[in-house]
Amino acid sequence: MATKQLSSFTLGLALFAMFFGSGNLIFPLFLGQLAQDQWLTAGLGFGITAVIVPLAGVFAMVIFKGDYSAFFGCLGKKGGLLTIFMLLAVWIPLGSGARCAMLAYSSILPYTENPIPLWMFSAIYCSLIAFVVYKKSRMLDILGHFLTPVLLFCLGLIVAWGINFESIIPRWTEEAGTLFVRGLTEGYHTMDLIASFFFSASIIEILRRASHNESLSLKKTLKASLIGAGLLAVVYAGLICLAAGNTDILQGVPKEQQLVTLAKTVLGSQLGIIASLAIFLACFTTSIALANVFTDFLAEKIFRNESTSGLSLVITQIVTFGMSITGLEGISFVTGPLLEVFYPLLIVLIVFNVGRKYLTSAPKKEIKQVSEEAACCNLSELELQS
């Protein structure tokens, strides 16, 4: 099917699949376990920074017609490039790329009697990612189209069978404000606001090239983002409720192993291993996409030479490997403080840039309208004179 014929719903699923990475599986569960019967308050905070704020990022990219360089251009040429580099570095090799390796490792732990050390697994994992990216293999791209439905099906089964409704009746206490703030900060860790700029820009560009209709591309992207955000909100709510009602199972379980533990407990060993395999493959394909993005950026924008793509790929994977072996706590220790600075900064940039766009476009519309009215008056005078 041609890209221009894709419906907004199909594009919404694709955008959801792009956003749905390792952090989207880890942090809602941890928050639900932490909040327990106050999951609603914490979930509202999480929804703001993990759903609504990234949606605002997509909206900003639609306003800027998919040009994220122009969006960050208000910081100056060098300042904008430095900001983009820092955002991509925090998002990919320091954050999501390393977390994907961690979650992939955790997905096999319950089914391995003598697991290899994390550093050895991560070295093999990052090397395989580098090999696939270097060879430009399309096999896993095709496989990725089937992984999201399989993963969602497994998650649906875990949530439907595992939610303990009696334990998740929400209540309000004095800790509600604290948990709401905790939900906000945990939403930062998904890094979806950073991802929203680059993923939506990619979709706009793909649609523009396919349809040669910029207005249609922007409208479809906006509709797709609403669908993708709605799906994320539903999945987050399910995962938070699931963990809130199964705190006894998750007691003492590390964040990155909570989903696999729930899958094995709720679905049993046979179905649980299918869920674990889906998680592993989803992490692998996501890692490939992330490595591609950062490698291309380094080669094109930093080294300014496409022949350095091999070196850029090696740098990307070395940093990813180094961060992954520090564990989830180590990754959060590095990225957490940075995200608490970047998220408010990006929100301010969205408000500033979108407001500036509207303020500068309004006078232009008025000038155009006045010009059209003047032209009509001149035409009428000429007709009367003739």
Side-chain angles (χ1 to χ4, degrees):
M1 183 182 291
T3 306
K4 63 181 179 180
Q5 295 176 327
L6 289 176
S7 66
S8 297
F9 182 75
T10 304
L11 288 170
L13 290 176
L15 199 57
F16 167 81
M18 289 179 176
F19 280 114
F20 200 67
S22 54
N24 308 83
L25 292 169
I26 293 172
F27 296 109
L29 289 172
F30 170 72
L31 186 64
Q33 181 201 14
L34 180 71
Q36 298 183 32
D37 56 2
Q38 297 181 71
W39 61 268
L40 184 58
T41 308
L44 288 173
F46 189 83
I48 290 173
T49 48
V51 179
I52 296 175
V53 171
L55 188 60
V58 177
F59 179 73
M61 280 298 95
V62 169
I63 296 294
F64 276 79
K65 300 178 180 179
D67 188 353
Y68 61 79
S69 295
F71 177 86
F72 292 103
C74 65
L75 301 174
K77 188 175 180 180
K78 291 184 178 178
L81 180 62
L82 178 62
T83 302
I84 293 171
F85 169 73
M86 291 177 68
L87 289 174
L88 286 174
V90 170
W91 172 35
I92 297 177
L94 298 178
S96 293
R99 278 199 317 233
C100 281
M102 275 291 308
L103 189 58
Y105 178 70
S106 299
S107 70
I108 65 171
L109 281 181
Y111 301 96
T112 355
E113 292 184 3
N114 298 304
I116 61 175
L118 172 60
W119 69 266
M120 188 181 297
F121 173 89
S122 189
I124 297 169
Y125 183 91
C126 291
S127 299
L128 285 173
I129 297 295
F131 177 78
V132 173
V133 172
Y134 184 74
K135 291 295 183 180
K136 305 293 183 186
S137 172
R138 305 294 298 176
M139 178 186 69
L140 285 170
D141 289 340
I142 297 169
L143 186 60
H145 292 295
F146 300 96
L147 286 176
T148 299
V150 172
L151 182 57
L152 285 176
F153 175 74
C154 292
L155 287 176
L157 284 179
I158 298 169
V159 170
W161 290 1
I163 285 185
N164 185 351
F165 290 98
E166 294 180 0
S167 301
I168 61 169
I169 299 174
R171 65 189 182 92
W172 303 87
T173 67
E174 294 179 356
E175 297 180 0
T178 304
L179 286 170
F180 178 79
V181 174
R182 185 60 184 266
L184 288 174
T185 56
E186 290 299 321
Y188 287 165
H189 293 298
T190 65
M191 304 188 189
D192 281 348
L193 175 57
I194 300 174
S196 68
F197 292 105
F198 304 102
F199 284 154
S200 56
S202 299
I203 284 191
I204 291 169
E205 181 61 23
I206 291 169
L207 290 174
R208 185 189 289 124
R209 288 180 180 179
S211 65
H212 303 288
N213 187 329
E214 186 171 73
S215 177
L216 178 63
S217 302
L218 297 175
K219 287 179 181 178
K220 273 196 168 185
T221 303
L222 192 56
K223 289 180 181 178
S225 68
L226 292 171
I227 294 167
L231 287 172
L232 279 175
V234 170
V235 172
Y236 288 152
L239 291 175
I240 290 172
C241 289
L242 175 67
N246 290 280
T247 53
D248 52 335
I249 297 174
L250 298 176
Q251 191 70 33
V253 178
K255 291 182 186 178
E256 66 273 14
Q257 295 180 28
Q258 289 185 343
L259 181 58
V260 183
T261 301
L262 284 169
K264 190 174 182 180
T265 305
V266 173
L267 300 179
S269 295
Q270 293 182 342
L271 284 177
I273 198 170
I274 296 174
S276 294
L277 181 62
I279 294 166
F280 178 88
L281 293 175
C283 288
F284 196 76
T285 50
T286 300
S287 294
I288 292 168
L290 293 173
N292 259 315
V293 170
F294 198 68
T295 297
D296 290 345
F297 177 80
L298 287 180
E300 295 171 11
K301 302 296 183 180
I302 304 300
F303 296 122
R304 298 183 182 278
N305 188 342
E306 291 186 3
S307 64
T308 62
S309 59
L311 173 63
S312 300
L313 178 58
V314 170
I315 293 172
T316 300
Q317 293 308 97
I318 287 176
V319 176
T320 301
F321 166 76
M323 283 301 299
S324 67
I325 61 176
T326 66
L328 191 60
E329 296 302 322
I331 296 168
S332 298
F333 179 79
V334 173
T335 60
L338 294 173
L339 291 171
E340 289 181 11
V341 173
F342 283 144
Y343 254 68
L345 173 64
L346 289 174
I347 293 169
V348 170
L349 280 177
I350 290 171
V351 174
F352 173 76
N353 278 327
V354 172
R356 182 166 58 94
K357 273 281 186 180
Y358 276 115
L359 288 174
T360 55
S361 63
K364 291 180 180 178
K365 290 179 181 178
E366 291 176 3
I367 292 170
K368 184 179 179 182
Q369 185 177 357
V370 171
S371 301
E372 289 174 352
E373 290 175 356
C376 289
C377 291
N378 291 335
L379 182 61
S380 300
E381 290 176 2
L382 288 172
E383 288 175 351
L384 287 173
Q385 291 174 2
S386 62

